[in-house]
Amino acid sequence: MKTKFLYRYLSMILVTGGAGYIGSHTILVLLEAGYDVVVFDNLSNGSTEAIKRVERLANRKVHFEHGDIRDRKGLDEVLATYPVTAAIHFAGLKAVGESMKKPLEYFDNNVSGSIQLLKALRQAGVFNIVFSSSATVYGDPGTPVFNEEMPTGTPSNTYGYTKLVVEELLKKTQAADPRWRVALLRYFNPVGAHQSGTIGEDPAGIPNNLLPFIAQVAVGKRQQLSIFGDDYPTPDGTCLRDYIHVMDLAEGHVSALQALKRFDKGGVGIWNLGGGQGHSVLEMVKAFEKASGQAVPYQVAPRREGDLAQFWADPGKAKRELGWEVERTLHDMMADTWRWQSKNPNGYQK
Ligand code: NAD
Ligand code: UFG
């Protein structure tokens, strides 16, 4: 175990959305760091099988409560049952394209759900919260390196907009009541899987994101990848993103929880969780082929609406204030994705 996780400041953590991709990896890291965990998830995009596998990996129990964050009564019951000291809030809908077609569902789940959660936490006297935000809140600032001092912008899609609204909701809630300690974690592009290959990303239907799509082509579930545009002003013409291994991301949450404890008078901490380096779509394809030994056929397709040409994190603030930085390489991201995908071609459904 790493030294940075030796100190346990907070004990029972409520993890909303803990049965999903990032949540399941985070609960594993929490358990390994000695925290107790209660997951609250409506299973709209999560799996109890993921939780069972986390329990086996950690050799510890996860408390699971099936429920929806929009249901205040359900939240109150959970908070009355478990001695929760902090919440990590992953629950929400995340498909960019779908969010443009279903704005009411996205605002309802992501914004109304967060309001219910904050009210329930306040009533239970729990004032520590870590929120899953996204680099999308920067909008298009006109520079590829995003740092936390930059003003937020206008996200290009409804999903991103809900993240910005919840950030504002949390900031204003904390400003009105200084008992709150809030971490806003702006993720860049989470990819990869636990190194055991037993838990990973299990997208429903056709994957929206690059790496799950590549992995499904490699395993033979899809014929070829479409690369959305090769005429961007980047070195090889394809878009650059800051891909971050999901286990590095998960560890960032534990570091953020520990940092909250140091906020003696409450406050809001905003941290980018990224590696600080951009990789192009073509680089990703080649790196995956190398790590997996599989061919990934592709065709070049038109640009996808709303994509920025390139951006990556300035990870300096997280390093200075959380003592956290990424440790895993691009090869690790690819090898771990392939291990998960090849061992579980149908995800959690055998
Ligand atoms: P995911 O869909 O795998 O996990 C979300 C979990 O929340 C699922 O288990 C789902 O069943 C649950 N859930 C959804 N709505 C709920 C509700 N109303 N009540 C209770 N549970 C609910 O997604 P993920 O990739 O693990 O993302 C986790 C969080 O991180 C999300 O808030 C997402 O917006 C954010 N995020 C993800 C990415 C990414 O690329 N994966 C990037 C930036 C931010
Ligand atoms: N891409 C392809 N083909 C695909 C899928 C993606 O070429 O089949 C390209 C995209 O055009 C983009 C890159 O691969 O250039 C990465 O795309 P992803 O969809 O994997 O990731 P995004 O950067 O578009 O989206 C991510 C998160 C969102 C978040 C957004 C913030 O998934 O949650 O970053 O910008 F809102």
Side-chain angles (χ1 to χ4, degrees):
M1 185 180 295
K2 294 171 189 165
T3 340
K4 64 187 178 188
F5 293 152
L6 282 179
Y7 304 101
R8 178 148 64 112
Y9 296 105
L10 302 162
S11 47
M12 169 74 75
I13 312 300
L14 171 67
V15 183
T16 73
Y21 171 45
I22 303 169
S24 56
H25 291 78
T26 302
I27 61 176
L28 175 59
V29 175
L30 285 168
L31 293 173
E32 286 175 342
Y35 291 90
D36 291 309
V37 170
V38 53
V39 166
F40 189 80
D41 197 302
N42 69 1
L43 299 179
S44 59
N45 200 36
S47 157
T48 50
E49 177 61 22
I51 294 190
K52 282 189 202 135
R53 293 186 187 190
V54 167
E55 287 181 320
R56 281 203 291 275
L57 284 169
N59 199 20
R60 289 198 51 205
K61 181 171 170 48
V62 175
H63 303 277
F64 177 74
E65 298 290 341
H66 187 205
D68 193 299
I69 52 168
R70 293 165 293 176
D71 170 22
R72 174 69 193 278
K73 200 160 155 273
L75 285 168
D76 287 344
E77 275 168 21
V78 168
L79 288 162
T81 307
Y82 298 92
V84 169
T85 50
I88 304 184
H89 178 29
F90 294 106
L93 302 179
K94 64 162 186 176
V96 169
E98 183 188 61
S99 75
M100 304 301 286
K101 295 187 188 109
K102 298 182 171 176
L104 290 176
E105 282 74 11
Y106 273 70
F107 275 90
D108 190 30
N109 271 275
N110 297 4
V111 180
S112 306
S114 297
I115 292 172
Q116 295 310 321
L117 176 65
L118 291 184
K119 285 184 172 174
L121 289 172
R122 181 179 61 185
Q123 179 171 295
V126 179
F127 292 99
N128 300 306
I129 184 165
V130 176
F131 174 60
S132 298
S133 189
S134 164
T136 194
V137 300
Y138 289 107
D140 184 1
T143 160
V145 195
F146 293 1
N147 74 60
E148 298 87 342
E149 306 306 318
M150 289 175 176
T152 51
T154 307
S156 60
N157 58 76
T158 304
Y159 158 74
Y161 205 84
T162 66
K163 290 285 160 192
L164 186 57
V165 171
V166 177
E167 280 205 2
E168 290 304 317
L169 171 69
L170 283 160
K171 285 181 191 165
K172 285 174 174 43
T173 301
Q174 200 287 326
D177 182 346
R179 287 176 295 178
W180 286 97
R181 298 165 179 166
V182 176
L184 305 178
L185 302 183
R186 293 178 178 164
Y187 309 163
F188 282 68
N189 286 55
V191 295
H194 186 259
Q195 57 272 21
S196 63
T198 46
I199 56 169
E201 187 170 10
D202 184 14
I206 301 171
N208 298 305
N209 297 116
L210 178 66
L211 204 52
F213 204 105
I214 290 180
Q216 290 197 4
V217 172
V219 86
K221 281 184 83 173
R222 318 238 162 240
Q223 234 180 347
Q224 63 177 354
L225 171 74
S226 291
I227 293 183
F228 300 139
D230 68 349
D231 56 353
Y232 284 97
T234 59
D236 65 21
T238 66
C239 294
L240 267 63
R241 292 289 181 274
D242 184 345
Y243 296 93
I244 172 173
H245 195 296
V246 66
M247 290 302 293
D248 280 328
L249 186 65
E251 289 169 3
H253 289 73
V254 179
S255 302
L257 267 185
Q258 293 174 350
L260 284 188
K261 185 67 184 172
R262 298 193 288 271
F263 284 8
D264 294 338
K265 295 181 182 136
V268 179
I270 304 179
W271 294 290
N272 283 342
L273 295 184
Q277 211 187 333
H279 293 286
S280 76
V281 177
L282 276 171
E283 263 181 90
M284 296 295 282
V285 171
K286 293 203 179 91
F288 189 90
E289 288 184 329
K290 193 166 171 213
S292 67
Q294 306 295 310
V296 178
Y298 64 83
Q299 61 167 3
V300 175
R303 289 183 178 194
R304 185 173 68 177
E305 205 186 325
D307 277 344
L308 296 185
Q310 52 180 354
F311 61 88
W312 52 89
D314 173 346
K317 188 164 184 267
K319 186 174 180 186
R320 284 192 305 278
E321 296 180 2
L322 304 180
W324 171 92
E325 62 185 322
V326 299
E327 291 176 350
R328 292 157 180 90
T329 62
L330 188 63
H331 179 80
D332 296 333
M333 299 178 209
M334 301 304 176
D336 292 340
T337 302
W338 179 238
R339 197 170 300 112
W340 154 254
Q341 183 71 64
S342 51
K343 281 172 86 168
N344 306 273
N346 298 315
Y348 290 114
Q349 280 165 349
K350 292 209 170 144

